[in-house]
Amino acid sequence: MRRISVFGATGSIGQNTLDLIARAPGEYRVVALTGGANIVQLAADARRLGAEVAVTAYPDRLDELRAALAGSGIEAGAGEAALIEAADRPADWIMSAIVGAAGLAPGFRALRHGTTLALANKESLVTAGPLLMAEARAHGATILPVDSEHSAIFQGLVGEDMSAVEKIIVTASGGGLRDWPLEALPMATVADAGAHPNWDMGQRITIDSASMFNKAMELIETKEFFGVAPEKIEAVIHPQSIVHALVGFRDGALMAHLGAPDMRHAIGYALHWPERRDLPVARIDLAQIATLEFYAPDLRRYPALGLARAVMETGGFAGSVFNAAKETALDGFLAGRIGFMDMAGVVEGTLDAMSSEIRLTNPPSGLEDVLQVDQMARTRAWAAIETRETA
Ligand code: NDP
């Protein structure tokens, strides 16, 4: 039986992963499931799937988790150290689907054991791409992309030589505010930005889709995962979310990956890789879809894309600062402290402030460096939010 752990099991990606695992009883042995505040879901899934251990990120929720697991024989853990301990438990396949920079350390740790890491946590690659890839190489571990665009690129590259790749095109739905007039965007509320036209995802990533900070992260992720030069990577708006990405080759061929907007596609590909197996996802009926549209994004509407390009070109700590500032700006927006269009200004201001304090182009020497810069950037980003509030 394959031993499997799911980090971020209570989230949108985690639940889709458990759905696939539960469909193949007897095939998998569930080692660790982790979650955050949703103790009821975590305990119920741990019981249903017979996990060895369940871990909540929050130490003050440990008693609640223990009570919810009482009599099951399932171990309970809480906090960062327990997450790392769970990553140390032998597993053949681990899903990294914690949201935010909190997902970096457990995934990084799992690589040390030569496991296969299915990586949904894009923050890991954005903040510490070169370190993560080097850690995987050093321990013979495999990282498989779970973001639908990167899974699509990965599939488009099977059997191909990277030297033949001319460009990589990542598609974007344009998010929930795509058709809003530009001048109305500053007034967008959390509810407006939190509704996605095509994908059913967690709240944070849905708002990041509306601002295109999610796509910005994906451009950086593409550079880090596939080792492609920034000028070869582009984003295009594709409202139908049927084509997930395209790879362009030197002979002019463009290989596209099409699929229903259902994350079980990319998760299932990573789960069964290198095989392809039946997946419970809708099949595409091209005649019914009839039209697939593509157009260039307007950088006034999506300033995050311009920032991503600068981050890719800078390298070093820029991704770490970008991600920390972006997460903080989103917290500020969710708390009603800044407007929707202020988020990009906060991120840009934080990148500027940090560039006068540290040499952003320097490569981080370890995870501690990355986490330290992450903390500094969050402090600067909160300061930028306060400045905007009082302006
Ligand atoms: P969700 O918000 O739905 O779930 C996040 C998971 O992380 C939950 O299990 C949550 O626990 C847990 N969590 C929250 N905070 C912490 C913390 N501080 N420490 C440890 N665990 C924590 O997110 P998604 O599933 O949408 O996204 C997960 C990752 O996958 C993100 O990096 C996202 O960018 C990426 N991704 C998501 C896609 C999607 O379709 N949703 C598509 C591609 C990539 P709890 O809920 O119990 O509090």
Side-chain angles (χ1 to χ4, degrees):
M1 269 206 276
R2 271 177 101 196
R3 292 172 60 88
I4 286 202
S5 290
V6 180
F7 285 74
T10 50
S12 166
I13 292 287
Q15 289 291 297
N16 277 312
T17 307
L18 298 191
D19 174 73
L20 293 179
I21 290 170
R23 285 168 191 268
E27 207 168 315
Y28 305 110
R29 170 96 186 88
V30 176
V31 180
L33 296 183
T34 87
N38 195 345
I39 303 295
V40 171
Q41 186 74 52
L42 179 61
D45 286 334
R47 282 177 181 273
R48 178 169 66 97
L49 296 167
E52 281 174 19
V53 61
V55 179
T56 164
Y58 307 119
D60 60 343
R61 307 294 299 273
L62 181 58
D63 288 346
E64 204 182 321
L65 179 60
R66 279 205 180 111
L69 292 172
S72 67
I74 300 168
E75 291 172 57
E80 282 174 32
L83 285 170
I84 296 297
E85 194 274 332
D88 278 336
R89 295 194 181 218
D92 304 302
W93 190 91
I94 295 182
M95 167 56 78
S96 165
I98 288 174
V99 67
L104 174 59
F108 197 84
R109 180 65 165 231
L111 293 174
R112 168 184 293 199
H113 304 290
T115 189
T116 295
L117 188 71
L119 191 64
N121 179 268
K122 58 191 80 184
E123 296 85 352
S124 294
L125 279 170
V126 171
T127 59
L131 290 174
L132 202 76
M133 301 308 277
E135 187 75 357
R137 277 192 300 275
H139 300 286
T142 303
I143 304 180
L144 296 172
V146 171
D147 230 341
S148 57
E149 295 77 0
H150 304 81
S151 175
I153 299 164
F154 189 79
Q155 294 178 51
L157 287 169
V158 171
E160 303 287 354
D161 191 327
M162 281 308 287
S163 65
V165 173
E166 204 168 62
K167 66 176 164 184
I168 291 184
I169 304 171
V170 176
T171 61
S173 70
L177 308 177
R178 184 184 62 218
D179 299 323
W180 277 41
L182 190 57
E183 56 282 5
L185 288 176
M187 273 80 80
T189 64
V190 169
D192 295 330
H196 199 283
N198 305 335
W199 294 91
D200 179 15
M201 308 185 286
Q203 184 195 41
R204 297 186 72 92
I205 189 172
T206 303
I207 297 175
D208 280 350
S209 291
S211 63
M212 283 249 209
F213 266 110
N214 181 49
K215 207 50 54 182
M217 297 279 285
E218 289 175 8
L219 296 181
I220 303 166
E221 197 184 352
T222 302
K223 175 199 163 207
E224 300 298 350
F225 190 86
F226 298 101
V228 188
E231 60 275 14
K232 290 187 172 179
I233 305 169
E234 55 188 74
V236 68
I237 304 229
H238 167 45
Q240 292 79 19
S241 297
I242 296 293
V243 177
H244 301 308
L246 305 95
V247 183
F249 294 96
R250 64 198 299 178
D251 60 358
L254 260 185
M255 304 287 279
H257 179 285
L258 283 69
D262 184 332
M263 282 311 295
R264 290 176 303 178
H265 225 132
I267 296 168
Y269 184 80
L271 182 61
H272 303 306
W273 178 87
E275 281 177 45
R276 281 193 191 271
R277 297 225 197 140
D278 291 350
L279 289 175
V281 297
R283 271 41 179 177
I284 297 284
D285 180 340
L286 283 178
Q288 196 187 9
I289 293 168
T291 308
L292 294 175
E293 300 161 279
F294 302 91
Y295 56 91
D298 176 351
L299 291 187
R300 289 171 307 161
R301 182 178 279 278
Y302 302 116
L305 293 180
L307 293 171
R309 200 146 289 286
V311 167
M312 286 194 286
E313 274 150 19
T314 307
F317 285 105
S320 203
V321 173
F322 178 81
N323 179 66
K326 174 216 91 129
E327 287 189 13
T328 309
L330 178 55
D331 288 339
F333 175 61
L334 288 171
R337 293 179 59 176
I338 53 170
F340 180 74
M341 291 305 277
D342 288 327
M343 289 192 283
V346 167
V347 174
E348 188 174 12
T350 307
L351 279 162
D352 284 348
M354 289 293 291
S355 68
S356 60
E357 290 186 61
I358 60 168
R359 194 178 286 277
L360 285 183
T361 49
N362 276 359
S365 59
L367 222 50
E368 303 69 33
D369 273 6
V370 172
L371 297 173
Q372 196 184 348
V373 166
D374 175 282
Q375 284 310 315
M376 279 173 76
R378 282 172 204 269
T379 307
R380 302 298 170 274
W382 278 120
I385 288 170
E386 271 157 31
T387 308
R388 275 168 193 267
E389 277 179 317
T390 49

